[in-house]
Amino acid sequence: MTEKIRDALKGKEMFAFSIATALLLFIAAFLLAPPKELLRGMIIIVLTRDALVTDYFELAGFGAAFFNAGLVLSLAILLIRRQKIPFTGLTMAVLFINAGFALFGKNPVNVLPMLLGTWLYARFHSSGMNRYIYTALFGSCLAPIVTELIYLLPFSFAVNLAVAVIVGIFAGFVLPPLSVHTASMHMGYNLFNMGFAGGLFAFVMMCVLQSFGLESNNVFIWSYGRPFWLLAGLYLYFGAAALFGLSMDRNCMHSLRKLMRHPGRAVADFVLMDGAPATLVNMGMIGLLCTTYIVLIGGDLSGPVVGAILTAFGFAAFGGHAANYPPVLAGVLLSTFFTHMQPTTPGIQMGAVFAIGLAPIAGQFGILAGIIAGMLHAAVTVCSSSLYGGLNLYNNGFSTGLVAIVLVPTLESFIKGFRTKKEQKNKH
């Protein structure tokens, strides 16, 4: 029986796991709240400002937040499936970043304009949407712009809505070419490239709004504490992911060791390089590591933190692993011993988990470089969101992009100089 299941799922592991995750989110939603409460919570989520940081756990309840995450994840699965694209490591990264941010900022309504904008971009260039579907789904990081403009503009609701949708479509149209250029700036050392591109667009948008006397302000809605049922559920889920990988290939530990030797620099699709079973084990390990870190520092399992953990979980299929991530995580923690920030500061909790975006620096340049990257990330991420009033959900992606752009050339220059001196010394 086990062999039949293994054979039936061979090559479809990631698709099956994604569907199972969506179902789990819906089941959790209905266990936590009755249908009327879920509907009321979804209305609140759709109609409320979504700028950073808007915790849907606190805003609308756990049930509605999980239901929203299930809807956003299902929409992403459907769109990818319609394009007949195989489920690889990049697929898992885009699915779980959407599921994670659906706990604090994204909903099935505010992501639509960006998706439409990217579709129009594909049509304008006479290209298939299958080429841009990942860009479209990552690009929904600018979803708060839509709801923000509805409340910020001084016109009637209908006019505000029309302008907000048009701006959202424009954002989706601009992000594909912008993200190509930003990727060349950090040379693949920032896994959250769209966060960097989205941050640049949001900054320009913020400046335009301020020129008209309009200003978007950050939001701070946060749920404190660590409900035992949620903590247990996360451990069970991540443990199940690892066990699923092990059950699909009992010899996947060899592939896992090979996976953890990759620097992780984009593009590093672990599913294509080392197989789905080893990737699932790695994903489970990263999920367990992030959850344990939050517990050890006495942090909160808020919507943003759980969303960050799910994002790291997804990117454990696309660049981050249990060897290159711990140094940058340690760097964020270490920075709190030298600054006024605490490990439990909400922005630092999120920053520590999202530091996986800089994991390729540790993978390429070593542990010390990773620690330095993590420390710089902690400093940058707490102040970068003010540049665009929380309009870019991937604030940590913008921060990791800045750190990579500054740090990587410095490291390469230092290493090159060291090698040159060594060569000259050997000649003498």
Side-chain angles (χ1 to χ4, degrees):
M1 183 65 179
T2 305
E3 289 295 331
K4 288 183 178 180
I5 296 174
R6 189 181 292 116
D7 291 339
L9 292 177
K10 192 173 182 61
K12 304 174 184 175
E13 298 96 338
M14 292 310 191
F15 175 66
F17 186 80
S18 302
I19 293 293
T21 299
L23 291 174
L24 277 173
L25 287 169
F26 286 126
I27 292 170
F30 282 103
L31 288 175
L32 291 166
K36 284 186 178 180
E37 190 175 322
L38 293 179
L39 178 60
R40 185 166 56 250
M42 282 302 303
I43 292 172
I44 292 172
I45 286 173
V46 169
L47 296 180
T48 303
R49 290 179 62 204
D50 298 302
L52 283 176
V53 177
T54 305
D55 185 342
Y56 290 164
F57 284 171
E58 184 71 17
L59 179 71
F62 288 102
F66 283 127
F67 190 78
N68 182 63
L71 288 176
V72 172
L73 177 59
S74 299
L75 174 63
I77 292 172
L78 176 63
L79 291 174
I80 292 172
R81 193 68 174 172
R82 277 182 62 85
Q83 300 303 319
K84 298 179 180 178
I85 297 173
F87 277 56
T88 66
L90 180 58
T91 312
M92 301 309 284
V94 79
L95 290 180
F96 283 93
I97 198 173
N98 274 278
F101 277 86
L103 299 178
F104 67 115
K106 293 186 182 183
N107 63 65
V109 176
N110 66 8
V111 302
L112 293 178
M114 272 68 64
L115 296 176
L116 178 57
T118 306
W119 178 79
L120 289 173
Y121 180 85
R123 292 294 298 270
F124 182 76
H125 288 273
S126 302
S127 182
M129 189 61 182
N130 60 338
R131 183 177 176 182
Y132 297 104
I133 187 62
Y134 289 125
T135 303
L137 290 169
F138 277 126
S140 56
C141 60
L142 295 175
I145 288 179
V146 178
T147 45
E148 193 72 10
L149 288 177
I150 292 174
Y151 291 101
L152 200 60
L153 296 176
F155 312 114
S156 65
F157 176 79
V159 174
N160 288 2
L161 178 62
V163 173
V165 171
I166 290 170
V167 172
I169 292 172
F170 177 69
F173 193 91
V174 169
L175 282 177
L178 179 59
S179 62
V180 172
H181 286 283
T182 54
S184 65
M185 292 172 70
H186 55 72
M187 300 176 290
Y189 287 101
N190 171 28
L191 296 179
F192 303 144
N193 177 56
M194 190 57 74
F196 186 55
L200 293 176
F201 182 91
F203 174 67
V204 172
M205 187 67 195
M206 185 72 171
C207 293
V208 172
L209 289 174
Q210 288 182 350
S211 71
F212 286 99
L214 303 171
E215 187 169 352
S216 172
N217 297 312
N218 290 53
V219 178
F220 186 74
I221 301 174
W222 186 273
S223 57
Y224 293 91
R226 298 182 303 278
F228 177 77
W229 62 268
L230 180 55
L231 177 61
L234 288 172
Y235 273 119
L236 287 172
Y237 174 73
F238 296 135
L243 289 174
F244 179 48
L246 287 170
S247 67
M248 293 305 298
D249 182 4
R250 293 170 185 169
N251 299 316
C252 72
M253 295 308 293
H254 173 73
S255 298
L256 180 65
R257 287 191 291 270
K258 181 185 172 186
L259 182 156
M260 288 195 287
R261 288 196 291 269
H262 295 304
R265 182 180 175 186
V267 176
D269 193 314
F270 294 152
V271 174
L272 296 178
M273 293 191 297
D274 302 295
T279 303
L280 282 164
V281 175
N282 183 58
M283 291 171 68
M285 291 169 63
I286 291 297
L288 292 169
L289 172 62
C290 292
T291 306
T292 302
Y293 172 82
I294 294 299
V295 172
L296 291 177
I297 66 168
D300 309 301
L301 289 179
S302 61
V305 170
V306 175
I309 293 173
L310 288 175
T311 300
F313 176 73
F315 274 86
F318 191 75
H321 53 67
N324 65 5
Y325 173 44
V328 288
L329 177 64
V332 175
L333 178 62
L334 189 61
S335 71
T336 62
F337 293 97
F338 302 100
T339 65
H340 69 278
M341 297 175 291
Q342 300 295 322
T344 53
T345 301
I348 295 299
Q349 290 186 55
M350 295 168 64
V353 179
F354 279 124
I356 195 171
L358 290 169
I361 291 180
Q364 183 70 38
F365 299 105
I367 293 174
L368 180 59
I371 292 173
I372 294 171
M375 295 180 74
L376 289 175
H377 173 60
V380 175
T381 192
V382 293
C383 63
S384 56
S385 65
S386 61
L387 295 174
Y388 35 75
L391 295 181
N392 173 30
L393 288 175
Y394 302 166
N395 175 55
N396 280 269
F398 183 70
S399 168
T400 52
L402 289 176
V403 171
I405 289 171
V406 172
L407 185 59
V408 170
T410 304
L411 290 170
E412 289 182 338
S413 177
F414 177 81
I415 292 170
K416 184 178 180 180
F418 180 78
R419 286 175 178 171
T420 302
K421 288 184 178 180
K422 189 175 181 181
E423 288 173 1
Q424 291 175 345
K425 186 177 180 181
N426 290 336
K427 287 180 180 179
H428 289 85

